[in-house]
Amino acid sequence: MCWVRRLHTQVQHVIELGHDQLPLDAASRICNSELLSKGDQLIVFAFHDSKTLRETIEEAKAMSLLTTVLFLD
């Protein structure tokens, strides 16, 4: 079993946001915004060319969330 699946089985509370009828990029933006509204900090592992995550990072900063970004490239 892949390590991500093993970690996923340990998650106690999974929230499905229900945007599965949208294209992936649109659903990701909406889900990311909803998740940002529930937290007070953001830790992101991203590639510089990930437009959706870079937008999420800027949104988090605009909301004054403590934001840490680790670029993988």
Side-chain angles (χ1 to χ4, degrees):
M1 179 183 295
C2 132
W3 64 273
V4 172
R5 288 182 186 247
R6 271 196 315 265
L7 287 174
H8 184 261
T9 62
Q10 297 173 17
V11 174
Q12 294 180 9
H13 302 285
V14 175
I15 300 170
E16 292 190 32
L17 298 176
H19 302 295
D20 51 342
Q21 299 300 318
L22 297 173
L24 181 59
D25 62 333
S28 294
R29 283 185 185 89
I30 293 169
C31 289
N32 289 348
S33 290
E34 290 179 20
L35 292 171
L36 287 176
S37 72
K38 298 177 186 299
D40 57 3
Q41 61 183 329
L42 174 68
I43 300 171
V44 178
F45 295 89
F47 291 98
H48 279 92
D49 61 352
S50 177
K51 182 179 177 191
T52 302
L53 284 179
R54 291 180 63 94
E55 290 172 358
T56 301
I57 293 162
E58 292 308 314
E59 183 178 352
K61 289 178 180 179
M63 296 170 64
S64 299
L65 296 180
L66 176 61
T67 305
T68 302
V69 183
L70 300 157
F71 287 103
L72 300 171
D73 52 356

